[in-house]
Each structure stands twice: as C-alpha cells, then as structure tokens.
Amino acid sequence: DWTMEDFIQQCIASIRQQVGSAKVIGAVSGGVDSTVAAVLTSRAIGTQFEALLVDNGLLRRDEANQVVHRLRDTCGVQLRYVDASSLFLQLLQGVVDPEEKRKIIGNTFIKVFEKEASASGASFLLQGTLYPDVIESSSHGGPSVTIKTHHNVGGLPDKMNLKLLEPLRELFKDEVRAVGKLLGIPEDSIYRHPFPGPGLAIRILGQVDQHRLEILRHADSIYIEELKSANLYRCISQAFAVLLPVKAVGVMGDTRSYEDVVALRAVETVDYMTAKWYPIPATVLEKISSRIVNEVKGVNRVVYDITSKPPATIEWE
Ligand code: XMP
C-alpha cells in the first residue's frame, strides 16, 4: 500500500541520489508548492540546498518576514533573503499596462535570480512543479491566445545551465498538502491561497508606488484577517483586495471626502480555469467594509466583485 510516508522516504532517497554532492538552489514564495519542495530537499541534502526568497517589494503585509521565519526557524531550511524591492519598484514607475507590468516583473525576477544562482555555484534548480503543471504545459488544448502571461512555470532553466529538480511532479495539490502536513509544515503555508508572481502590482490598477502599496496591504490584511476569524478562509479558493484607479466622493463628519476605492474579490474554484464568485455573508462583508473605511487612511468606499470566470478573470489585471 503506497502511502505519503513512503513517498517522502523515496523522494528523499531519490533527491540524494540525483544530486550527489552538488549544490541546489530554488526560489521560494511561501506558498505550499515551493515550501514543500524546499523542505523535502532540505531534509534530503541539508545545506547543499539554498532557498532564495526574492523580495520584489510587491508582497503582502509582513509576508517576507513570515516566510523567512517559517522556513528558517520552523522548517530548518537554509534560506537567503534577497531584497530587490527598490529595483522592482523603480522599474515599475509610471507603468500602467498589465502585460507590461508582468513582463518587467518576470524579466527582473529572472535577472536577480540568475545572478544569485551563478554566485551560489549550484548545478541544480529546484522547482515545485506539480502534475497538473506538467500536463498543462505539454498539452496543446489550451487557449490559442495569451490571456495573461504567467511566469511562474518554465523560463528560468532554459537560459541557465542548471539541471531541473522537480520532486513534486507526480503529485496533485491535495497530495502536496498531505506531504506538507507530514513534514510538519505549518497550516498557514499549507492552506495559503495562491498568490501571483507579479504580486500586488496587478492588484493596484494603474501606477504602482509605495503609498498605494501601503493602502492595499492594509486593506488586504483586514480582509483576510476577517475571513479567517469568520472561518471562511478555507471555504474560499482565493480572496484578495484590489485598489482601483478611481476616486469616489464620501462624507466624513461634516466634510466631503474624495478618496480611493477598494474592491474585494473572493472565488471558489478547483482548477482556476473557471471560478465562481463566492457569496460571503452580508454581516461579514459589513464588518470588513466598516473596518477598511475606518482604519485605512485614504479609502472611503468598498465594493464587492460578483463576477465569475469567465467572463472575468480572477485577478483584475
Ligand atoms: P486569472 O486572473 O488568469 O488567474 O483568472 C488564475 C490564477 O492564476 C493566478 N495568476 C498568476 N500567477 N503569475 C502567476 O504566478 C501571473 O502573472 C498570474 N496572473 C494570474 C491568479 O492569482 C489565479 O490564482
């Protein structure tokens, strides 16, 4: 009987055999796939593996800190934190087109990662590729036009002289979660909603700057905190706040305000190819909305996105 315990033992043995005494490098995001891949590799070869967290300045509130702490201290992975946020934010200055944002962020990530990888002397690249990613990238049944450029699969190894290490390539998401639990990875990582590579840049419609990042981080953290305390976080596949490029009129005491609008998105989906908007109870929405307008300076209106995919996509950009 094949169990996940067996998988872990075999996987560790096979990583050791494949890698020998070479060095492995891999980017981590704190999501379940990269975390499980990193912990397995670190169990197999210890400090021959180095995980890299590239901070692009587009992460959520306190996210970089939490990922560093969780991987290093809780999971015992050798991790290097690379703060490239000023580079990313500088290159994004004045950019409003969503695809252009994606390209800049993707290319900059590759540049930063390549530099770190060549300095590390690694000959293997760890990737948290899952079985569905393998199927998707080898089939020709997908849409014939690019709707959005995703840069979290592929791209990296072609240019670099690194061999690929993909310990999760036979697993489905629920199996990765089961392995993660057995490895003692905290539930915060195991059940974390997916977060796009371009991060908050594609959730700030229009220009991205420090000020707007702070507004969105604050609103998003309130939203997620309230979903967790209402026990809804795990019922929802992905939830996040979006900062709109419009201002709305409001009233504050006896003065008129003219401030930013935040949209809340929540969807239920299995494969992220189609998705249904999730009906958060009105009482919970009410609490989220009043907290956001009361606590986030510069926001005076909150709207709820009730569009499914298709025709909308999950992200707004
Ligand atoms: P859409 O918006 O295309 O999103 O319905 C489907 C899923 O993909 C995520 N997403 C991305 N992930 N790089 C990523 O790594 C990207 O550029 C990107 N764009 C969308 C999105 O968060 C959702 O889970």
Side-chain angles (χ1 to χ4, degrees), residues 102 148-152 194 196-198 238 272 309 313-315:
R102 275 200 177 71
K148 295 177 186 183
T149 320
H150 287 204
H151 71 263
N152 59 340
Q238 195 173 6
Y272 296 86
K309 173 185 180 177
T313 50
I314 295 173
E315 303 288 347

Side-chain angles (χ1 to χ4, degrees), residues 1 48 80 103 120 126-127 155 164 170 172 174-175 212 216 225 285 294:
D1 207 20
Q48 276 169 258
R80 192 142 50 94
K103 266 174 214 146
S120 76
L126 175 68
Q127 289 208 313
L164 268 189
E170 280 161 24
F172 284 98
D174 53 324
E175 295 173 314
R212 294 183 74 70
L216 181 58
E225 186 184 313
L285 286 173
N294 281 313

Side-chain angles (χ1 to χ4, degrees), residues 267-303:
V267 296
E268 220 183 339
T269 175
V270 177
D271 58 8
Y272 296 86
M273 307 290 281
T274 62
K276 283 178 69 174
W277 66 274
Y278 185 89
I280 296 177
T283 49
V284 179
L285 286 173
E286 162 62 27
K287 178 128 191 254
I288 296 163
S289 158
S290 55
R291 277 199 62 195
I292 290 176
V293 293
N294 281 313
E295 296 173 33
V296 185
K297 216 172 147 266
V299 175
N300 69 359
R301 193 175 292 254
V302 175
V303 297

